[in-house]
């Protein structure tokens, strides 16, 4: 929340009270920025996108990317870039 500047209670800091005020829409913003976008899920095929994003939430985006890359047989640098995306598009989701 701090990285997004989500001072939900307006007291000029981001702390536990802001976390308690988090709405579903706010949580979606956090999920999208720190997990979905980090693994480029919008560019991955349907099915792979959700699996990798879920993995990112539970194990971290870098680890999720590395496991995807290993499954696809490309370099597992933890960064979902053009090579990973192309390999995922060619794979059987």
């Amino acid at each position: 929340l701090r990285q997004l500047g989500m001072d939900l209670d307006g007291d000029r800091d981001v702390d536990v009270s802001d976390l308690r005020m988090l709405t579903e829409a706010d949580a979606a913003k956090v999920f999208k920025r720190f997990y979905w976008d980090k693994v480029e899920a919008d560019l991955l095929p349907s099915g792979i996108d959700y699996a990798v994003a879920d993995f990112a939430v539970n194990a971290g985006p870098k680890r999720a990317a590395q496991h995807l890359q290993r499954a696809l047989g490309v370099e597992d640098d933890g960064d979902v870039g053009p090579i990973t995306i192309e390999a995922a598009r060619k794979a059987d989701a």
Side-chain angles (χ1 to χ4, degrees):
L1 296 180
R2 283 186 186 109
Q3 291 181 21
L4 291 173
M6 295 178 81
D7 176 17
L8 301 176
D9 60 9
D11 67 355
R12 300 174 122 164
D13 70 353
V14 179
D15 55 21
V16 173
S17 64
D18 298 293
L19 182 60
R20 289 185 179 126
M21 296 178 73
L22 197 68
T23 66
E24 190 172 315
D26 294 330
K29 289 178 194 174
V30 172
F31 174 83
K32 181 162 181 359
R33 178 164 176 199
F34 294 103
Y35 302 102
W36 186 266
D37 291 348
K38 292 283 184 188
V39 296
E40 299 289 353
D42 283 332
L43 303 176
L44 295 172
S46 181
I48 295 175
D49 55 355
Y50 289 119
V52 175
D54 182 62
F55 196 146
V57 169
N58 290 292
K62 183 174 180 121
R63 183 172 286 158
Q66 288 172 321
H67 280 267
L68 170 64
Q69 291 167 326
R70 289 177 195 144
L72 296 171
V74 298
E75 181 183 356
D76 61 343
D77 62 2
D79 180 33
V80 177
I83 294 170
T84 305
I85 293 164
E86 184 61 27
R89 288 181 177 158
K90 292 178 180 176
D92 179 2

